[in-house]
Amino acid sequence: MTVSMDSHNTMPAVVISPRAARRLADGFLWVYSNEIEGRDDPGAPVYWCRFMREGRTLATGYFNRHSLIAGRAVAWGEAHDLKPLLEDRLVSAFTRRLTLENGSSARIVFSEADLLPGLVVDFFPPFAVLQSSTAGMDLILPLLEASVPELIERVFRKTLQGLVLRCDSAVRRLEAVDMFRRVVFGDSAAMMRAEVAEDGVRYAADLVAGQKTGFFLDQRENRRRLAAFVRGIPSGRVLDLFCYSGGWGLRALKEGVRHVTFVDESRDALDLVKSGLAANGIDPERAELHHGDVFDFLARQQELYDAVVSDPPAFVKSRKNLPQAIKAYQKLIRMAWRRLKPGGMLFVCSCSHHLSESEFLNLLAEAVAKEHGLAHLVYRGGQSQDHPVLLSMPETSYLKCLGVRKLAAA
Ligand SMILES: C[S@@+](CC[C@H](N)C(=O)[O-])C[C@H]1O[C@@H](n2cnc3c(N)ncnc32)[C@H](O)[C@@H]1O
């Protein structure tokens, strides 16, 4: 089913509870399935709708009968025409990025934080990747596929040469929608061998079949902190754990560090690192690429490093498995800590919303204490600015990066 773009005819009504109505008014965009009190049934499980309470339209958004997050609001009040509403949202989101990165690679739409729940758009000039994670956003894909290139041209003054649709993230299972990916237009081969520039470093990226949207843009500002640290240790050695395309390690090499060891269990990821080394003209002798499990690697490794970065996938999938995930983070941090020289820096990251920064800090402190270590906390970072946090929706905050310096034992 596609939704009518010209919805002069009124959208179906979804009646929500007083609590959901209050939260909506406070800027929380989700309505849970147990907060739905009644609804029109247009015959489809997913549809764009008006969220109502006591005969008043509170918001416009979409409804999915199969999802626990049954409703997501896109605008407050009634929208008579979806196309101008969505285009206004896109233009506002794009414009907010203009001052950030001066038109270089950036996340130009970040879902709920940009009041476009379920939609991500990453811009890797001259290509873009559009990711829908909800059934409601899927309904308006034809509109988005047409508008995004046009509005990128208008706002960034750049002609898009290719657009990839990535509807393949695991969260789609919660929405009961299939996973798929599609090249909307452009040269697939070129987009599978794309190059992403960040602060002068050239990274290889597969925008069609690589992880997520092809590159982890959210660590940009944290990598800058590593860059600042390694500038002071030109003869240093860095260990990049869970390296993917080498976001951290290539940055360190480009800053002049002597050697980086990259570790990832994905061969495709290590191939991207190899291409990144070549793209930046870095002598391959300055890098070691280790294919395998990080825990196994750390268990066998004897070498000490000046900086260790640990950027694993989310260990906490839900609040329920938090205790188990905390144990896994602590094990990882303790093993990484043992590979660090005195004076060295350890950067540890967690990309799970379910683990708060203070919980992460506590588990880090505990892990260091269990190693009888002493450390200064010298850096607290989060997701880069093109992934803004909507204050009324803490769910939009997910990435934490803590940097500690190892002190020689007292
Ligand atoms: C969040 S991504 C890392 C992003 C990367 N650091 C960057 O800045 O672009 C997590 C990476 O960990 C890898 N991975 C997941 N589990 C692993 C494991 N147990 N051992 C080694 N690599 C693993 C995945 O293949 C993926 O490349």
PDB file of all heavy atoms in Angstrom, residues 211-212 215-219 223 240-249 263-266 269 292-295 309-315 351, ligand 1:
ATOM      1  N   GLN A 211      28.297  -2.761   6.236  1.00  0.00           N
ATOM      2  CA  GLN A 211      27.527  -2.691   7.491  1.00  0.00           C
ATOM      3  C   GLN A 211      26.806  -1.343   7.601  1.00  0.00           C
ATOM      4  O   GLN A 211      27.302  -0.322   7.142  1.00  0.00           O
ATOM      5  CB  GLN A 211      28.463  -2.870   8.682  1.00  0.00           C
ATOM      6  CG  GLN A 211      29.067  -4.279   8.742  1.00  0.00           C
ATOM      7  CD  GLN A 211      29.881  -4.494  10.011  1.00  0.00           C
ATOM      8  OE1 GLN A 211      29.648  -3.877  11.042  1.00  0.00           O
ATOM      9  NE2 GLN A 211      30.845  -5.403   9.942  1.00  0.00           N
ATOM     10  N   LYS A 212      25.658  -1.357   8.247  1.00  0.00           N
ATOM     11  CA  LYS A 212      24.829  -0.147   8.451  1.00  0.00           C
ATOM     12  C   LYS A 212      24.638   0.586   7.127  1.00  0.00           C
ATOM     13  O   LYS A 212      24.185   0.002   6.179  1.00  0.00           O
ATOM     14  CB  LYS A 212      25.452   0.750   9.533  1.00  0.00           C
ATOM     15  CG  LYS A 212      25.566   0.052  10.878  1.00  0.00           C
ATOM     16  CD  LYS A 212      24.208  -0.072  11.533  1.00  0.00           C
ATOM     17  CE  LYS A 212      24.162  -1.021  12.688  1.00  0.00           C
ATOM     18  NZ  LYS A 212      24.551  -0.592  13.956  1.00  0.00           N
ATOM     19  N   PHE A 215      29.331   3.342   6.442  1.00  0.00           N
ATOM     20  CA  PHE A 215      30.402   3.995   7.203  1.00  0.00           C
ATOM     21  C   PHE A 215      29.845   4.482   8.536  1.00  0.00           C
ATOM     22  O   PHE A 215      28.695   4.935   8.596  1.00  0.00           O
ATOM     23  CB  PHE A 215      30.985   5.185   6.411  1.00  0.00           C
ATOM     24  CG  PHE A 215      32.165   5.830   7.078  1.00  0.00           C
ATOM     25  CD1 PHE A 215      33.397   5.181   7.133  1.00  0.00           C
ATOM     26  CD2 PHE A 215      32.054   7.077   7.677  1.00  0.00           C
ATOM     27  CE1 PHE A 215      34.486   5.768   7.769  1.00  0.00           C
ATOM     28  CE2 PHE A 215      33.146   7.672   8.315  1.00  0.00           C
ATOM     29  CZ  PHE A 215      34.360   7.020   8.353  1.00  0.00           C
ATOM     30  N   PHE A 216      30.658   4.421   9.599  1.00  0.00           N
ATOM     31  CA  PHE A 216      30.201   4.858  10.927  1.00  0.00           C
ATOM     32  C   PHE A 216      30.553   6.336  11.133  1.00  0.00           C
ATOM     33  O   PHE A 216      31.632   6.675  11.611  1.00  0.00           O
ATOM     34  CB  PHE A 216      30.829   3.982  12.014  1.00  0.00           C
ATOM     35  CG  PHE A 216      30.282   2.574  12.019  1.00  0.00           C
ATOM     36  CD1 PHE A 216      30.835   1.593  11.203  1.00  0.00           C
ATOM     37  CD2 PHE A 216      29.198   2.238  12.823  1.00  0.00           C
ATOM     38  CE1 PHE A 216      30.323   0.298  11.191  1.00  0.00           C
ATOM     39  CE2 PHE A 216      28.681   0.946  12.815  1.00  0.00           C
ATOM     40  CZ  PHE A 216      29.240  -0.029  11.991  1.00  0.00           C
ATOM     41  N   LEU A 217      29.587   7.170  10.764  1.00  0.00           N
ATOM     42  CA  LEU A 217      29.795   8.621  10.864  1.00  0.00           C
ATOM     43  C   LEU A 217      29.718   9.124  12.308  1.00  0.00           C
ATOM     44  O   LEU A 217      30.177  10.218  12.606  1.00  0.00           O
ATOM     45  CB  LEU A 217      28.702   9.347  10.062  1.00  0.00           C
ATOM     46  CG  LEU A 217      28.786   9.279   8.537  1.00  0.00           C
ATOM     47  CD1 LEU A 217      27.446   9.654   7.919  1.00  0.00           C
ATOM     48  CD2 LEU A 217      29.877  10.204   8.028  1.00  0.00           C
ATOM     49  N   ASP A 218      29.114   8.309  13.174  1.00  0.00           N
ATOM     50  CA  ASP A 218      28.822   8.805  14.526  1.00  0.00           C
ATOM     51  C   ASP A 218      30.050   8.993  15.421  1.00  0.00           C
ATOM     52  O   ASP A 218      29.976   9.643  16.448  1.00  0.00           O
ATOM     53  CB  ASP A 218      27.791   7.893  15.233  1.00  0.00           C
ATOM     54  CG  ASP A 218      28.163   6.429  15.200  1.00  0.00           C
ATOM     55  OD1 ASP A 218      29.237   6.091  14.656  1.00  0.00           O
ATOM     56  OD2 ASP A 218      27.382   5.600  15.705  1.00  0.00           O
ATOM     57  N   GLN A 219      31.216   8.435  14.992  1.00  0.00           N
ATOM     58  CA  GLN A 219      32.419   8.522  15.832  1.00  0.00           C
ATOM     59  C   GLN A 219      33.323   9.682  15.449  1.00  0.00           C
ATOM     60  O   GLN A 219      34.425   9.819  15.997  1.00  0.00           O
ATOM     61  CB  GLN A 219      33.227   7.216  15.713  1.00  0.00           C
ATOM     62  CG  GLN A 219      32.541   6.001  16.301  1.00  0.00           C
ATOM     63  CD  GLN A 219      32.692   5.939  17.819  1.00  0.00           C
ATOM     64  OE1 GLN A 219      33.040   6.924  18.470  1.00  0.00           O
ATOM     65  NE2 GLN A 219      32.415   4.795  18.400  1.00  0.00           N
ATOM     66  N   ARG A 223      36.976  10.335  17.160  1.00  0.00           N
ATOM     67  CA  ARG A 223      38.238  10.045  16.457  1.00  0.00           C
ATOM     68  C   ARG A 223      39.167  11.255  16.502  1.00  0.00           C
ATOM     69  O   ARG A 223      40.385  11.117  16.508  1.00  0.00           O
ATOM     70  CB  ARG A 223      37.945   9.689  14.996  1.00  0.00           C
ATOM     71  CG  ARG A 223      37.238   8.364  14.832  1.00  0.00           C
ATOM     72  CD  ARG A 223      37.021   8.068  13.354  1.00  0.00           C
ATOM     73  NE  ARG A 223      36.170   6.918  13.180  1.00  0.00           N
ATOM     74  CZ  ARG A 223      35.049   6.915  12.472  1.00  0.00           C
ATOM     75  NH1 ARG A 223      34.655   7.994  11.843  1.00  0.00           N
ATOM     76  NH2 ARG A 223      34.328   5.822  12.370  1.00  0.00           N
ATOM     77  N   ASP A 240      43.432  -1.086  17.201  1.00  0.00           N
ATOM     78  CA  ASP A 240      42.069  -0.704  16.814  1.00  0.00           C
ATOM     79  C   ASP A 240      41.202  -1.973  16.832  1.00  0.00           C
ATOM     80  O   ASP A 240      41.205  -2.763  15.885  1.00  0.00           O
ATOM     81  CB  ASP A 240      42.106  -0.074  15.403  1.00  0.00           C
ATOM     82  CG  ASP A 240      40.747   0.451  14.950  1.00  0.00           C
ATOM     83  OD1 ASP A 240      39.754   0.256  15.682  1.00  0.00           O
ATOM     84  OD2 ASP A 240      40.679   1.041  13.850  1.00  0.00           O
ATOM     85  N   LEU A 241      40.464  -2.149  17.950  1.00  0.00           N
ATOM     86  CA  LEU A 241      39.636  -3.349  18.116  1.00  0.00           C
ATOM     87  C   LEU A 241      38.239  -3.095  17.544  1.00  0.00           C
ATOM     88  O   LEU A 241      37.671  -2.038  17.761  1.00  0.00           O
ATOM     89  CB  LEU A 241      39.518  -3.697  19.601  1.00  0.00           C
ATOM     90  CG  LEU A 241      40.839  -3.979  20.325  1.00  0.00           C
ATOM     91  CD1 LEU A 241      40.609  -4.080  21.841  1.00  0.00           C
ATOM     92  CD2 LEU A 241      41.483  -5.259  19.803  1.00  0.00           C
ATOM     93  N   PHE A 242      37.679  -4.071  16.857  1.00  0.00           N
ATOM     94  CA  PHE A 242      36.380  -3.935  16.177  1.00  0.00           C
ATOM     95  C   PHE A 242      36.500  -2.796  15.140  1.00  0.00           C
ATOM     96  O   PHE A 242      35.731  -1.839  15.153  1.00  0.00           O
ATOM     97  CB  PHE A 242      35.245  -3.615  17.164  1.00  0.00           C
ATOM     98  CG  PHE A 242      35.138  -4.563  18.324  1.00  0.00           C
ATOM     99  CD1 PHE A 242      35.739  -4.278  19.550  1.00  0.00           C
ATOM    100  CD2 PHE A 242      34.419  -5.759  18.205  1.00  0.00           C
ATOM    101  CE1 PHE A 242      35.631  -5.151  20.614  1.00  0.00           C
ATOM    102  CE2 PHE A 242      34.303  -6.635  19.282  1.00  0.00           C
ATOM    103  CZ  PHE A 242      34.908  -6.327  20.486  1.00  0.00           C
ATOM    104  N   CYS A 243      37.477  -2.932  14.254  1.00  0.00           N
ATOM    105  CA  CYS A 243      37.902  -1.772  13.445  1.00  0.00           C
ATOM    106  C   CYS A 243      36.968  -1.430  12.292  1.00  0.00           C
ATOM    107  O   CYS A 243      37.007  -0.322  11.778  1.00  0.00           O
ATOM    108  CB  CYS A 243      39.294  -2.025  12.906  1.00  0.00           C
ATOM    109  SG  CYS A 243      39.374  -3.453  11.783  1.00  0.00           S
ATOM    110  N   TYR A 244      36.146  -2.372  11.816  1.00  0.00           N
ATOM    111  CA  TYR A 244      35.369  -2.212  10.583  1.00  0.00           C
ATOM    112  C   TYR A 244      36.253  -1.627   9.470  1.00  0.00           C
ATOM    113  O   TYR A 244      37.261  -2.217   9.126  1.00  0.00           O
ATOM    114  CB  TYR A 244      34.078  -1.403  10.800  1.00  0.00           C
ATOM    115  CG  TYR A 244      33.206  -1.480   9.565  1.00  0.00           C
ATOM    116  CD1 TYR A 244      32.896  -2.714   8.996  1.00  0.00           C
ATOM    117  CD2 TYR A 244      32.737  -0.344   8.916  1.00  0.00           C
ATOM    118  CE1 TYR A 244      32.154  -2.810   7.827  1.00  0.00           C
ATOM    119  CE2 TYR A 244      31.987  -0.424   7.750  1.00  0.00           C
ATOM    120  CZ  TYR A 244      31.700  -1.660   7.211  1.00  0.00           C
ATOM    121  OH  TYR A 244      30.978  -1.749   6.060  1.00  0.00           O
ATOM    122  N   SER A 245      35.924  -0.449   8.916  1.00  0.00           N
ATOM    123  CA  SER A 245      36.733   0.054   7.795  1.00  0.00           C
ATOM    124  C   SER A 245      37.966   0.836   8.265  1.00  0.00           C
ATOM    125  O   SER A 245      38.647   1.459   7.454  1.00  0.00           O
ATOM    126  CB  SER A 245      35.871   0.918   6.867  1.00  0.00           C
ATOM    127  OG  SER A 245      35.237   1.954   7.580  1.00  0.00           O
ATOM    128  N   GLY A 246      38.224   0.802   9.565  1.00  0.00           N
ATOM    129  CA  GLY A 246      39.451   1.421  10.075  1.00  0.00           C
ATOM    130  C   GLY A 246      39.275   2.875  10.470  1.00  0.00           C
ATOM    131  O   GLY A 246      40.236   3.655  10.464  1.00  0.00           O
ATOM    132  N   GLY A 247      38.056   3.233  10.843  1.00  0.00           N
ATOM    133  CA  GLY A 247      37.743   4.624  11.206  1.00  0.00           C
ATOM    134  C   GLY A 247      38.772   5.248  12.144  1.00  0.00           C
ATOM    135  O   GLY A 247      39.244   6.362  11.925  1.00  0.00           O
ATOM    136  N   TRP A 248      39.129   4.516  13.174  1.00  0.00           N
ATOM    137  CA  TRP A 248      40.057   5.062  14.184  1.00  0.00           C
ATOM    138  C   TRP A 248      41.518   4.867  13.758  1.00  0.00           C
ATOM    139  O   TRP A 248      42.319   5.792  13.821  1.00  0.00           O
ATOM    140  CB  TRP A 248      39.848   4.360  15.521  1.00  0.00           C
ATOM    141  CG  TRP A 248      38.522   4.542  16.161  1.00  0.00           C
ATOM    142  CD1 TRP A 248      37.364   3.878  15.861  1.00  0.00           C
ATOM    143  CD2 TRP A 248      38.198   5.442  17.229  1.00  0.00           C
ATOM    144  NE1 TRP A 248      36.361   4.307  16.687  1.00  0.00           N
ATOM    145  CE2 TRP A 248      36.843   5.262  17.534  1.00  0.00           C
ATOM    146  CE3 TRP A 248      38.939   6.368  17.967  1.00  0.00           C
ATOM    147  CZ2 TRP A 248      36.189   5.977  18.541  1.00  0.00           C
ATOM    148  CZ3 TRP A 248      38.304   7.082  18.976  1.00  0.00           C
ATOM    149  CH2 TRP A 248      36.937   6.888  19.249  1.00  0.00           C
ATOM    150  N   GLY A 249      41.817   3.652  13.338  1.00  0.00           N
ATOM    151  CA  GLY A 249      43.220   3.306  13.057  1.00  0.00           C
ATOM    152  C   GLY A 249      43.785   4.079  11.880  1.00  0.00           C
ATOM    153  O   GLY A 249      44.940   4.543  11.930  1.00  0.00           O
ATOM    154  N   VAL A 263      41.788  -5.118  14.195  1.00  0.00           N
ATOM    155  CA  VAL A 263      41.192  -6.429  14.468  1.00  0.00           C
ATOM    156  C   VAL A 263      39.696  -6.385  14.161  1.00  0.00           C
ATOM    157  O   VAL A 263      38.978  -5.499  14.646  1.00  0.00           O
ATOM    158  CB  VAL A 263      41.380  -6.855  15.951  1.00  0.00           C
ATOM    159  CG1 VAL A 263      40.875  -8.284  16.171  1.00  0.00           C
ATOM    160  CG2 VAL A 263      42.828  -6.719  16.390  1.00  0.00           C
ATOM    161  N   ASP A 264      39.239  -7.354  13.359  1.00  0.00           N
ATOM    162  CA  ASP A 264      37.804  -7.482  13.113  1.00  0.00           C
ATOM    163  C   ASP A 264      37.522  -8.914  12.674  1.00  0.00           C
ATOM    164  O   ASP A 264      38.372  -9.576  12.079  1.00  0.00           O
ATOM    165  CB  ASP A 264      37.334  -6.504  12.023  1.00  0.00           C
ATOM    166  CG  ASP A 264      35.838  -6.202  12.132  1.00  0.00           C
ATOM    167  OD1 ASP A 264      35.013  -7.085  11.791  1.00  0.00           O
ATOM    168  OD2 ASP A 264      35.483  -5.097  12.583  1.00  0.00           O
ATOM    169  N   GLU A 265      36.323  -9.380  12.977  1.00  0.00           N
ATOM    170  CA  GLU A 265      35.975 -10.752  12.590  1.00  0.00           C
ATOM    171  C   GLU A 265      35.462 -10.823  11.153  1.00  0.00           C
ATOM    172  O   GLU A 265      35.206 -11.912  10.643  1.00  0.00           O
ATOM    173  CB  GLU A 265      34.916 -11.319  13.546  1.00  0.00           C
ATOM    174  CG  GLU A 265      33.584 -10.605  13.438  1.00  0.00           C
ATOM    175  CD  GLU A 265      32.503 -11.188  14.330  1.00  0.00           C
ATOM    176  OE1 GLU A 265      32.810 -12.007  15.208  1.00  0.00           O
ATOM    177  OE2 GLU A 265      31.338 -10.801  14.125  1.00  0.00           O
ATOM    178  N   SER A 266      35.291  -9.645  10.531  1.00  0.00           N
ATOM    179  CA  SER A 266      34.767  -9.633   9.163  1.00  0.00           C
ATOM    180  C   SER A 266      35.898  -9.415   8.157  1.00  0.00           C
ATOM    181  O   SER A 266      36.628  -8.418   8.227  1.00  0.00           O
ATOM    182  CB  SER A 266      33.712  -8.514   9.034  1.00  0.00           C
ATOM    183  OG  SER A 266      33.634  -8.065   7.706  1.00  0.00           O
ATOM    184  N   ALA A 269      35.416  -6.302   6.141  1.00  0.00           N
ATOM    185  CA  ALA A 269      35.841  -5.095   6.850  1.00  0.00           C
ATOM    186  C   ALA A 269      37.339  -4.880   6.655  1.00  0.00           C
ATOM    187  O   ALA A 269      37.789  -3.772   6.334  1.00  0.00           O
ATOM    188  CB  ALA A 269      35.507  -5.214   8.336  1.00  0.00           C
ATOM    189  N   GLY A 292      39.675 -12.063  13.070  1.00  0.00           N
ATOM    190  CA  GLY A 292      39.277 -12.992  14.127  1.00  0.00           C
ATOM    191  C   GLY A 292      38.520 -12.289  15.240  1.00  0.00           C
ATOM    192  O   GLY A 292      38.260 -11.078  15.180  1.00  0.00           O
ATOM    193  N   ASP A 293      38.205 -13.090  16.243  1.00  0.00           N
ATOM    194  CA  ASP A 293      37.437 -12.595  17.386  1.00  0.00           C
ATOM    195  C   ASP A 293      38.343 -11.753  18.295  1.00  0.00           C
ATOM    196  O   ASP A 293      39.469 -12.161  18.615  1.00  0.00           O
ATOM    197  CB  ASP A 293      36.891 -13.814  18.146  1.00  0.00           C
ATOM    198  CG  ASP A 293      36.167 -13.394  19.395  1.00  0.00           C
ATOM    199  OD1 ASP A 293      35.103 -12.766  19.283  1.00  0.00           O
ATOM    200  OD2 ASP A 293      36.678 -13.672  20.506  1.00  0.00           O
ATOM    201  N   VAL A 294      37.841 -10.603  18.720  1.00  0.00           N
ATOM    202  CA  VAL A 294      38.633  -9.691  19.550  1.00  0.00           C
ATOM    203  C   VAL A 294      39.020 -10.346  20.879  1.00  0.00           C
ATOM    204  O   VAL A 294      40.155 -10.214  21.343  1.00  0.00           O
ATOM    205  CB  VAL A 294      37.854  -8.369  19.790  1.00  0.00           C
ATOM    206  CG1 VAL A 294      38.401  -7.611  20.983  1.00  0.00           C
ATOM    207  CG2 VAL A 294      37.889  -7.496  18.542  1.00  0.00           C
ATOM    208  N   PHE A 295      38.098 -11.063  21.484  1.00  0.00           N
ATOM    209  CA  PHE A 295      38.398 -11.683  22.787  1.00  0.00           C
ATOM    210  C   PHE A 295      39.526 -12.718  22.635  1.00  0.00           C
ATOM    211  O   PHE A 295      40.436 -12.766  23.465  1.00  0.00           O
ATOM    212  CB  PHE A 295      37.140 -12.324  23.380  1.00  0.00           C
ATOM    213  CG  PHE A 295      36.111 -11.314  23.837  1.00  0.00           C
ATOM    214  CD1 PHE A 295      35.117 -10.863  22.972  1.00  0.00           C
ATOM    215  CD2 PHE A 295      36.154 -10.789  25.123  1.00  0.00           C
ATOM    216  CE1 PHE A 295      34.178  -9.933  23.385  1.00  0.00           C
ATOM    217  CE2 PHE A 295      35.215  -9.848  25.548  1.00  0.00           C
ATOM    218  CZ  PHE A 295      34.222  -9.420  24.677  1.00  0.00           C
ATOM    219  N   VAL A 309      41.760   1.213  21.182  1.00  0.00           N
ATOM    220  CA  VAL A 309      40.379   1.649  20.951  1.00  0.00           C
ATOM    221  C   VAL A 309      39.499   0.403  20.918  1.00  0.00           C
ATOM    222  O   VAL A 309      39.822  -0.569  20.234  1.00  0.00           O
ATOM    223  CB  VAL A 309      40.245   2.381  19.587  1.00  0.00           C
ATOM    224  CG1 VAL A 309      38.791   2.779  19.333  1.00  0.00           C
ATOM    225  CG2 VAL A 309      41.157   3.595  19.533  1.00  0.00           C
ATOM    226  N   SER A 310      38.393   0.450  21.658  1.00  0.00           N
ATOM    227  CA  SER A 310      37.450  -0.673  21.632  1.00  0.00           C
ATOM    228  C   SER A 310      36.071  -0.136  21.249  1.00  0.00           C
ATOM    229  O   SER A 310      35.453   0.594  22.009  1.00  0.00           O
ATOM    230  CB  SER A 310      37.408  -1.330  23.016  1.00  0.00           C
ATOM    231  OG  SER A 310      36.330  -2.247  23.059  1.00  0.00           O
ATOM    232  N   ASP A 311      35.630  -0.482  20.053  1.00  0.00           N
ATOM    233  CA  ASP A 311      34.376   0.064  19.511  1.00  0.00           C
ATOM    234  C   ASP A 311      33.486  -1.095  19.032  1.00  0.00           C
ATOM    235  O   ASP A 311      33.294  -1.289  17.834  1.00  0.00           O
ATOM    236  CB  ASP A 311      34.728   1.018  18.349  1.00  0.00           C
ATOM    237  CG  ASP A 311      33.511   1.690  17.750  1.00  0.00           C
ATOM    238  OD1 ASP A 311      32.428   1.648  18.358  1.00  0.00           O
ATOM    239  OD2 ASP A 311      33.647   2.267  16.647  1.00  0.00           O
ATOM    240  N   PRO A 312      32.973  -1.868  20.006  1.00  0.00           N
ATOM    241  CA  PRO A 312      32.228  -3.085  19.620  1.00  0.00           C
ATOM    242  C   PRO A 312      30.806  -2.783  19.160  1.00  0.00           C
ATOM    243  O   PRO A 312      30.305  -1.671  19.365  1.00  0.00           O
ATOM    244  CB  PRO A 312      32.183  -3.871  20.937  1.00  0.00           C
ATOM    245  CG  PRO A 312      32.209  -2.833  22.003  1.00  0.00           C
ATOM    246  CD  PRO A 312      33.009  -1.674  21.458  1.00  0.00           C
ATOM    247  N   PRO A 313      30.140  -3.774  18.565  1.00  0.00           N
ATOM    248  CA  PRO A 313      28.705  -3.602  18.294  1.00  0.00           C
ATOM    249  C   PRO A 313      27.962  -3.551  19.634  1.00  0.00           C
ATOM    250  O   PRO A 313      28.539  -3.871  20.675  1.00  0.00           O
ATOM    251  CB  PRO A 313      28.339  -4.885  17.523  1.00  0.00           C
ATOM    252  CG  PRO A 313      29.407  -5.868  17.857  1.00  0.00           C
ATOM    253  CD  PRO A 313      30.633  -5.101  18.209  1.00  0.00           C
ATOM    254  N   ALA A 314      26.701  -3.160  19.602  1.00  0.00           N
ATOM    255  CA  ALA A 314      25.933  -3.032  20.853  1.00  0.00           C
ATOM    256  C   ALA A 314      25.848  -4.388  21.555  1.00  0.00           C
ATOM    257  O   ALA A 314      25.395  -5.363  20.960  1.00  0.00           O
ATOM    258  CB  ALA A 314      24.546  -2.497  20.552  1.00  0.00           C
ATOM    259  N   PHE A 315      26.304  -4.438  22.808  1.00  0.00           N
ATOM    260  CA  PHE A 315      26.166  -5.675  23.594  1.00  0.00           C
ATOM    261  C   PHE A 315      24.785  -5.729  24.257  1.00  0.00           C
ATOM    262  O   PHE A 315      24.315  -6.786  24.619  1.00  0.00           O
ATOM    263  CB  PHE A 315      27.222  -5.743  24.694  1.00  0.00           C
ATOM    264  CG  PHE A 315      28.619  -6.028  24.215  1.00  0.00           C
ATOM    265  CD1 PHE A 315      29.714  -5.860  25.059  1.00  0.00           C
ATOM    266  CD2 PHE A 315      28.864  -6.490  22.920  1.00  0.00           C
ATOM    267  CE1 PHE A 315      31.003  -6.134  24.631  1.00  0.00           C
ATOM    268  CE2 PHE A 315      30.157  -6.764  22.485  1.00  0.00           C
ATOM    269  CZ  PHE A 315      31.225  -6.579  23.344  1.00  0.00           C
ATOM    270  N   CYS A 351      27.523   1.540  22.029  1.00  0.00           N
ATOM    271  CA  CYS A 351      26.539   2.188  21.148  1.00  0.00           C
ATOM    272  C   CYS A 351      25.127   1.701  21.477  1.00  0.00           C
ATOM    273  O   CYS A 351      24.281   1.633  20.611  1.00  0.00           O
ATOM    274  CB  CYS A 351      26.879   1.967  19.688  1.00  0.00           C
ATOM    275  SG  CYS A 351      27.034   0.255  19.218  1.00  0.00           S
TER     276      CYS A 351
HETATM  277  C1  LIG B   1      30.499  -0.702  15.666  1.00  0.00           C
HETATM  278  S1  LIG B   1      31.349  -1.539  14.411  1.00  0.00           S
HETATM  279  C2  LIG B   1      32.932  -0.775  14.511  1.00  0.00           C
HETATM  280  C3  LIG B   1      33.041   0.540  13.832  1.00  0.00           C
HETATM  281  C4  LIG B   1      34.461   0.993  13.631  1.00  0.00           C
HETATM  282  N1  LIG B   1      35.221   1.016  14.827  1.00  0.00           N
HETATM  283  C5  LIG B   1      34.484   2.347  12.963  1.00  0.00           C
HETATM  284  O1  LIG B   1      34.914   3.336  13.581  1.00  0.00           O
HETATM  285  O2  LIG B   1      34.076   2.445  11.803  1.00  0.00           O
HETATM  286  C6  LIG B   1      31.654  -3.111  15.114  1.00  0.00           C
HETATM  287  C7  LIG B   1      32.605  -4.021  14.331  1.00  0.00           C
HETATM  288  O3  LIG B   1      32.903  -5.136  15.161  1.00  0.00           O
HETATM  289  C8  LIG B   1      33.017  -6.302  14.376  1.00  0.00           C
HETATM  290  N2  LIG B   1      32.801  -7.418  15.339  1.00  0.00           N
HETATM  291  C9  LIG B   1      31.666  -7.762  15.986  1.00  0.00           C
HETATM  292  N3  LIG B   1      31.910  -8.719  16.899  1.00  0.00           N
HETATM  293  C10 LIG B   1      33.242  -8.989  16.833  1.00  0.00           C
HETATM  294  C11 LIG B   1      34.105  -9.847  17.543  1.00  0.00           C
HETATM  295  N4  LIG B   1      33.646 -10.629  18.531  1.00  0.00           N
HETATM  296  N5  LIG B   1      35.418  -9.861  17.226  1.00  0.00           N
HETATM  297  C12 LIG B   1      35.890  -9.081  16.221  1.00  0.00           C
HETATM  298  N6  LIG B   1      35.118  -8.211  15.530  1.00  0.00           N
HETATM  299  C13 LIG B   1      33.816  -8.170  15.834  1.00  0.00           C
HETATM  300  C14 LIG B   1      32.003  -6.136  13.295  1.00  0.00           C
HETATM  301  O4  LIG B   1      32.380  -6.890  12.146  1.00  0.00           O
HETATM  302  C15 LIG B   1      32.069  -4.611  13.048  1.00  0.00           C
HETATM  303  O5  LIG B   1      32.989  -4.363  12.006  1.00  0.00           O
END
